[in-house]
């Protein structure tokens, strides 16, 4: 029987329509289940504090909810196909276990504020874990950069060899941009670090409740004040949270793409261990960097998830709309995609080594042309005159020791001084 039915004799919701509209929510609701229960535990405590239910009923309710939370975490309590959502499951199960006391919990709340509350708690937790995973990945990148800090590597513009660079500069370029994502992720965490319980269906309640008590009990930063704004923010917060992670996915997409090319026979700059590569079913010579190809593609899946979230919530009338349920999946899947992509790239980087001799073989005379121009300028020529003279006689450019060339470039951020100590210091303040 649906939670909104008055009796078992009510005409049931069309079973095929239920399957089409609600079946896909099962997995997502199982993920929300523990968070929904956590929110309801605080709600029950608040009802007792406001003397809306007895202390003994509140204690009985919490005892059963704590058990149910653990069961939700270990998977023994989970959604059933015939149930509409996780809120229905909790209510049905609590009443079975606590009897009439369980029915007391369902005042001064709605499934509308319950689902937003559970999603915010889930989002805050997941974003915090993503931030920790990102920090570990940046650590791995900086370790790789430190190991090969001034090892010469050709630098490219327009996908053509351009100037001397270093492995340390290449690897730490990704690390620095990822460090810069901290503020965006912190902003996303802050958007989720709010209490919406007590807003009910979007229009508050007659009950004399204490929303600030729930906020503090859940350990959240603030209460979302306006009841209607709690519904208006549904989907919007999910969308902005995903947008906050766009920069992270963009950077690891670029890194993954570089690695696919740099491990190819045409470049052959890097070597990734067998534990991170695959072979071919018909070509015994193949060693494929599938993980990086998959990460490269997942960036585009992720931008699609952002687009889905944006599209679903546009042009909706104020208040609750069932359209909102379609943001649940893209939000959860998007966060998981980012977290797993970072973990995967960390594994790949930790199993990556460089092919130093191959890197050095790419240092032909022309790669030193710009350095020759710069030296002539230092000796007194104007830059444009030196540029024209060198360009007219590129054959006269001499080979240099690539190690000495890189070490000579010592200003902050140059190939010989990528500023790794500064980046490590910034990373130390990441969490």
């Amino acid at each position: 029987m649906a939670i909104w039915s008055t009796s078992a004799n009510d005409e049931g919701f069309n079973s095929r329509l239920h399957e089409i509209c609600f079946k896909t929510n099962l997995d997502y609701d199982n993920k929300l289940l523990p968070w929904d229960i956590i929110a309801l535990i605080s709600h029950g405590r608040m009802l007792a504090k406001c003397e809306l239910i007895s202390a003994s009923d509140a204690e009985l309710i919490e005892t059963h909810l704590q058990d149910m939370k653990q069961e939700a975490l270990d998977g023994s309590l989970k959604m059933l196909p015939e149930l509409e959502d996780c809120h229905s499951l909790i209510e049905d199960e609590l009443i079975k276990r606590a009897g009439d006391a369980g029915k007391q919990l369902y005042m001064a709340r709605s499934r509308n504020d319950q689902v937003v509350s559970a999603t915010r708690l889930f989002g805050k937790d997941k974003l915090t874990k993503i931030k920790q995973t990102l920090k570990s990945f940046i650590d791995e990148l900086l370790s790789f950069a430190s190991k090969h800090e001034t090892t010469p590597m050709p630098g490219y513009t327009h996908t053509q060899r351009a100037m001397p660079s270093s492995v340390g500069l290449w690897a730490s370029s990704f690390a620095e941009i990822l460090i810069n994502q901290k503020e965006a992720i912190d902003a996303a965490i802050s958007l989720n670090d709010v209490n919406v319980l007590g807003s009910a269906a979007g229009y508050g309640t007659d009950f004399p409740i204490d929303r600030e008590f729930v906020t503090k009990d859940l350990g959240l930063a603030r209460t979302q004040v306006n009841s209607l704004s709690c519904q208006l923010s549904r989907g919007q917060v999910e969308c902005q949270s995903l947008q906050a992670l766009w920069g992270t996915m963009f950077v690891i997409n670029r890194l993954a793409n570089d690695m696919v090319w740099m491990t190819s026979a045409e470049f052959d700059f890097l070597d990734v261990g067998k534990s991170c590569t695959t072979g071919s079913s018909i070509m015994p010579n193949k060693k494929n960097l599938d993980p990086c190809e998959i990460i490269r593609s997942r960036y585009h899946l992720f931008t699609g998830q952002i687009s889905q979230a944006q599209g679903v919530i546009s042009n909706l009338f104020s208040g609750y709309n069932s359209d909102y349920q379609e943001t649940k999946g893209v939000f959860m899947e998007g966060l998981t995609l980012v977290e797993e992509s970072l973990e995967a790239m960390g594994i790949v980087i930790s199993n990556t080594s460089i092919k130093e001799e191959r890197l050095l073989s790419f240092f032909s005379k022309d790669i030193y042309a710009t350095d020759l121009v710069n030296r002539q300028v230092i000796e007194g020529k104007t830059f444009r005159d030196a540029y024209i003279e060198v360009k007219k006689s590129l054959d006269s450019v001499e080979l240099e020791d690539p190690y000495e060339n890189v070490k000579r470039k010592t200003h902050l951020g140059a190939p010989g001084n990528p500023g790794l100590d500064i980046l490590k210091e910034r990373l130390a303040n990441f969490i």
Side-chain angles (χ1 to χ4, degrees), residues 39-63 65 101 103-109 207-211 213-214 217:
L40 285 174
I41 288 170
S42 290
H43 180 70
R45 291 171 182 170
M46 181 274 293
L47 293 177
K49 183 255 182 187
C50 294
E51 299 182 348
L52 291 168
I53 63 175
S54 69
S56 58
D57 279 351
E59 185 176 349
L60 181 62
I61 288 167
E62 179 163 349
T63 296
L65 285 177
K103 297 177 183 178
Q104 298 272 16
L105 185 63
Y106 292 91
M107 66 175 84
R109 36 65 56 212
F207 295 101
I209 60 174
D210 187 344
R211 297 187 66 207
F213 173 90
V214 176
D217 197 61

Side-chain angles (χ1 to χ4, degrees), residues 371-404:
D371 293 317
L372 178 57
V373 171
N374 293 340
R375 282 198 295 274
Q376 290 185 5
V377 172
I378 291 170
E379 291 167 0
K381 290 184 180 179
T382 66
F383 179 85
R384 191 53 59 202
D385 287 343
Y387 173 93
I388 292 171
E389 182 177 321
V390 171
K391 186 164 186 174
K392 286 180 177 178
S393 55
L394 285 173
D395 289 342
S396 66
V397 177
E398 297 181 355
L399 282 171
E400 297 183 28
D401 181 333
Y403 296 96
E404 293 302 318

Side-chain angles (χ1 to χ4, degrees), residues 130 154 209 275 307 392:
I130 287 171
I209 60 174
S275 64
S307 181
K392 286 180 177 178

